[in-house]
Amino acid sequence: MADELEILYNYQNIVNYLDINIFNEDRRLMAQEDPFTILSDRKFLGTYRLSKSLVKELCQSLSPHMMAPKTNAGLSIDRKLSIALRFFASGSYQQDIGEHRGSALSQASVSRCITEVANALNLPQIMNQYIRFPSTINELNSIRLGFYEKYGVPGVVGVLDCTHIAIVPPKQHDIIYPEHIYVNRKGYHSINTQLICDCDLKILNVCAKFPGSAHDSHIWRVSPVLDVLKYIHSIRQTSNFLLADSGYGLRPWLLTPIHEPEVGGPESNYNKWLCRTRSTIERCNGVLKMRFRCLLKDRTLHYHPEKAAKIINACVILHNICITNRLPIINNDEINLEHIDFGMIPNQGLPDNELANRIDPELTAGRRFQTAIIQNYFT
């Protein structure tokens, strides 16, 4: 009996030894495989969402802000970037990314790669390069012209909306990030992210600082873009305004729908135009989350809110790179777009308040401007 147990014990040790060595050899071979070489252009785009040339360009931009390997066994910057891109694109768990062919890393190593790449992309000199609200009259006029050619009314310089990005609940005893403030109106934890896009779905501004319980209009009230538009409005003769849904306050620089317009009348026509134009931001939200599926509601970012916000910003930068270079959306696995919940929570229509019209000069000016738009283009 003792001899049989000894034989069995030795046999198990041999099996374990072979398994470990075969596994390590597989990881070594996987790590040697270069996705730039082994993947076709289409497969590479489907895996990382950027083309090979764009990944190399981005790697050059981020290299001064990332740690180069100190030994031959260290991770190169382009490999760190490809690992992070794979996570942003798929939204899979870090362990799945680590075991993906071409990665062969532990979960902790994948986490460090995601953190380093996200931190580099969130540096002001990098973010400002890819996400910028127009800062010159020529840039403003270029966006105005794009909306005018597509939708027929001059003055639109962007479309505004918020979308909820699901996150895991913060620790209940976190003083800086209390758990309860991240619960949104649909009952799950999220970051309420404000986006402004142009007619080509390029994102001009992103704010991922607010918890899910924050109202869209509050995020807009403290946005630097509001100050920019108010200043432009004060010095310019021509109108420059954003479009938004009825959850926001009507202003000369922010047009919203009319509550319960007469069917078939000018106000109804105005609402149809505004909804058609405003659908740009909904398409933008959808494209952003389809490309970078870590932002989808059913994936959920398993990170502290601060790191989750950096990942959201990073994905917006990558989205803009894709839009600027007109890259198609290529997903390696099938997905039904019609049944995806993008995490967007529609606002309820807010009726006009006549008393507020009389005592709020900005609202009064907004009503006056809205009426002028309707009379000039929809009667």
Side-chain angles (χ1 to χ4, degrees), residues 268-279:
S268 178
N269 293 334
Y270 160 82
N271 269 10
K272 290 178 181 178
W273 164 80
L274 190 146
C275 290
R276 186 174 73 252
T277 311
R278 206 189 70 80
S279 67

Side-chain angles (χ1 to χ4, degrees), residues 82-128:
S82 66
I83 290 165
L85 289 176
R86 175 61 186 163
F87 170 77
F88 298 151
S90 68
S92 298
Y93 290 107
Q94 292 174 164
Q95 186 61 45
D96 297 334
I97 300 298
E99 293 174 355
H100 183 264
R101 199 155 187 80
S103 298
L105 295 176
S106 67
Q107 177 271 330
S109 296
V110 173
S111 180
R112 287 192 292 270
C113 291
I114 294 170
T115 299
E116 188 173 356
V117 171
N119 286 342
L121 287 169
N122 275 264
L123 292 171
Q125 58 267 44
I126 300 295
M127 280 197 70
N128 294 338

Side-chain angles (χ1 to χ4, degrees), residues 49 80 85 89 104 137 153-154 164 272 326:
R49 301 302 191 254
K80 292 178 186 177
L85 289 176
I137 297 301
V153 175
H164 288 260
K272 290 178 181 178
R326 301 182 182 278

